[in-house]
Amino acid sequence: MTDNSVFQFLLCDLDDTLYRTHSGLMQAIGDRISRYMVEHVGISPDVTQQLRSHYHDEYGTSMRGLIVNYDIDPESYLGFVHDLPLEQYIQPSAALDEMLTGIPLRKVIFTNASREHARRVLRVLGVPYHFERIIDVRDFAFHSKPHPLAYQRGLRILGARPPQCIIVDDTARNLAPAMEMGMTTVLVGNGQPTDTRYLPGAVDLHIEDVLGLADAIQPLLASSGNTSAPGH
């Protein structure tokens, strides 16, 4: 955790972070990933789950594994796997809107998904105006968190130093490189941290629900001199 630094940026993961995991949206996206592997790549449905797990461990995402091993078109993949009726899974959240209003930092989405998907999710949640920028997998050169390149590119885009950043994610593995670089890390996750082999080293704070984020980081902001909220 950083000391005596003025925080400027809040980097938020999107899926399963800004909304609860039980929404079913990520499960639906996972089903679309399996369909893409079968219908567009020709992989046997008997091995898609095993292969997705391997790619997640090896590359961070299925997409990166498919790029490396099958030379897929990432744009085709992103369009297919995110083609879902989001309103069936998530709804506007006045509580999320209020919570984000209470955080006096420049807010950025930092996601392995596409910016189009991120915009749609933010619109459905009712909070797009809080986020000044979406840093997506294209900005990572189609690598994925937790690849260090993703964080390096994100910092370069923002013109930020790691100690100026608080990063929020539902996966401890995605927080480990950020902590190593000097960011302050917050794990979101229903009281059950995932990837426990990365704990506690990757996590400064752990909250059960993103709605507790403003209260959780308030002592950090107060001690570092963040006293006034910027415009949205």
Side-chain angles (χ1 to χ4, degrees):
M1 189 177 297
T2 58
D3 296 316
N4 300 318
S5 299
V6 176
F7 295 108
Q8 294 189 23
F9 298 94
L10 182 73
L11 278 58
C12 290
D13 179 49
L14 181 77
D15 291 307
D16 276 359
T17 296
L18 289 186
Y19 56 83
R20 295 182 176 179
T21 58
H22 60 65
S23 72
L25 178 53
M26 281 303 294
Q27 177 62 49
I29 290 173
D31 292 342
R32 298 283 296 178
I33 292 171
S34 294
R35 279 188 56 192
Y36 183 90
M37 294 170 73
V38 173
E39 297 174 13
H40 291 259
V41 187
I43 295 171
S44 168
D46 296 335
V47 300
T48 55
Q49 287 299 122
Q50 179 182 354
L51 203 55
R52 283 176 53 197
S53 179
H54 169 66
Y55 286 165
H56 179 268
D57 290 342
E58 182 73 16
Y59 302 105
T61 60
S62 297
M63 182 182 73
R64 185 62 191 170
L66 291 169
I67 291 172
V68 171
N69 292 281
Y70 290 91
D71 195 29
I72 67 160
D73 172 21
E75 296 295 345
S76 167
Y77 174 94
L78 290 168
F80 185 90
V81 302
H82 293 138
D83 185 15
L84 288 162
L86 298 183
E87 296 82 357
Q88 293 184 14
Y89 303 95
I90 56 176
Q91 295 78 40
S93 174
L96 179 63
D97 186 18
E98 181 179 3
M99 185 279 294
L100 291 169
T101 299
I103 298 179
L105 299 174
R106 297 170 62 184
K107 303 172 187 73
V108 177
I109 294 295
F110 189 67
T111 178
N112 281 340
S114 69
R115 64 179 56 92
E116 292 85 358
H117 173 67
R119 290 191 188 111
R120 291 178 62 217
V121 169
L122 294 176
R123 282 198 298 267
V124 175
L125 292 174
V127 296
Y129 70 95
H130 285 287
F131 296 92
E132 67 176 60
R133 185 164 191 136
I134 296 168
I135 298 177
D136 77 343
V137 71
R138 297 186 188 91
D139 295 311
F140 306 158
F142 294 108
H143 288 78
S144 304
K145 297 179 288 182
H147 194 290
L149 179 66
Y151 308 85
Q152 294 163 3
R153 287 195 171 222
L155 290 169
R156 190 177 308 124
I157 287 168
L158 297 173
R161 294 181 295 105
Q164 297 174 318
C165 301
I166 298 174
I167 184 168
V168 185
D169 202 293
D170 67 298
T171 305
R173 185 176 72 156
N174 289 346
L175 295 173
M179 172 170 273
E180 291 175 4
M181 296 176 72
M183 299 186 202
T184 295
T185 58
V186 182
L187 177 68
V188 178
N190 296 328
Q192 299 295 328
T194 58
D195 294 326
T196 54
R197 64 188 180 275
Y198 293 95
L199 301 174
V203 176
D204 289 311
L205 297 172
H206 173 223
I207 56 178
E208 296 183 7
D209 190 294
V210 72
L211 297 180
L213 178 61
D215 288 341
I217 67 174
Q218 193 281 329
L220 298 177
L221 301 183
S223 65
S224 67
N226 296 86
T227 57
S228 60
H232 299 303

